Amino acid sequence: PQRKSDRVLKDLDFLAIEKKLFFSDGFRIKVLGKLTIDVALLKELRLIDYSLLVTRLDREVLEEKGYSCEVPLRLIPSLNPEDGGRVIYTLGIIDYLQSYNMRKKMERGLKVVQAMDANVNISIQDPIRYGDRFLNFVKSIIE
């Protein structure tokens, strides 16, 4: 049987199961700062459809397998009291090679026409809106 910790979750699944990532203020500031810089570059390059990969690791399992759990920036300890200090996260942006090209613009236009609402919230957004939505989501899940 698959354990809760062995699953890949999409954003809505994550919100239903995990809900939040609990980091110290220092790590929260560093993570959001680095993601903001990365997203600014992705916006400048006109890239969309990227995702945040969150890896949830059990410190005890890692140590049993001989891995060091020193906490450089790439390993972020959870401050969630429910996990007893056992959880470490890694974060990264993945799937960032989709450009906002004419095909994507036409796809967005078609979906807007189908919905008959220019303000409809569809998944295809221009790079600026996509990046802003991405950062807002990340900010909403990190405490």
Side-chain angles (χ1 to χ4, degrees):
Q2 195 174 42
R3 296 180 317 211
K4 176 181 168 183
S5 61
D6 292 340
R7 291 184 286 169
V8 174
L9 306 176
K10 300 265 185 180
D11 53 358
L12 295 178
D13 298 324
F14 176 85
L15 290 174
I17 296 171
E18 194 78 17
K19 296 186 181 32
K20 296 279 186 181
L21 301 173
F22 297 91
F23 300 160
S24 69
D25 288 340
F27 273 108
R28 182 179 192 280
I29 290 167
K30 286 178 186 176
V31 166
L32 292 177
K34 288 189 177 293
L35 288 175
T36 299
I37 292 167
D38 291 347
V39 169
L41 176 63
L42 294 170
K43 287 179 183 180
E44 187 177 317
L45 295 173
R46 303 199 46 76
L47 297 174
I48 59 171
D49 291 346
Y50 43 89
S51 302
L52 181 69
L53 175 67
V54 177
T55 307
R56 186 178 194 273
L57 306 167
D58 185 308
R59 182 186 302 260
E60 290 177 12
V61 171
L62 289 173
E63 288 172 347
E64 284 173 10
K65 292 183 178 186
Y67 293 103
S68 169
C69 289
E70 295 299 316
V71 185
L73 183 56
R74 67 181 187 273
L75 293 177
I76 307 164
S78 170
L79 294 181
N80 185 350
E82 292 179 16
D83 63 40
R86 292 179 43 195
V87 173
I88 299 173
Y89 294 104
T90 62
L91 305 176
I93 296 176
I94 60 169
D95 298 334
Y96 51 83
L97 296 177
Q98 176 62 57
S99 62
Y100 189 66
N101 53 25
M102 186 55 71
R103 183 174 154 251
K104 285 295 185 179
K105 290 177 186 177
M106 290 174 59
E107 189 178 339
R108 175 173 169 64
L110 179 62
K111 288 188 178 193
V112 167
V113 169
Q114 287 174 334
M116 294 194 294
D117 181 359
N119 296 318
V120 68
N121 187 14
I122 59 176
S123 61
I124 302 168
Q125 298 289 332
D126 68 81
I128 302 300
R129 285 187 185 157
Y130 190 90
D132 291 346
R133 183 179 66 183
F134 176 84
L135 282 175
N136 287 334
F137 175 75
V138 172
K139 288 175 184 176
S140 76
I141 64 168
I142 297 177
E143 284 198 13

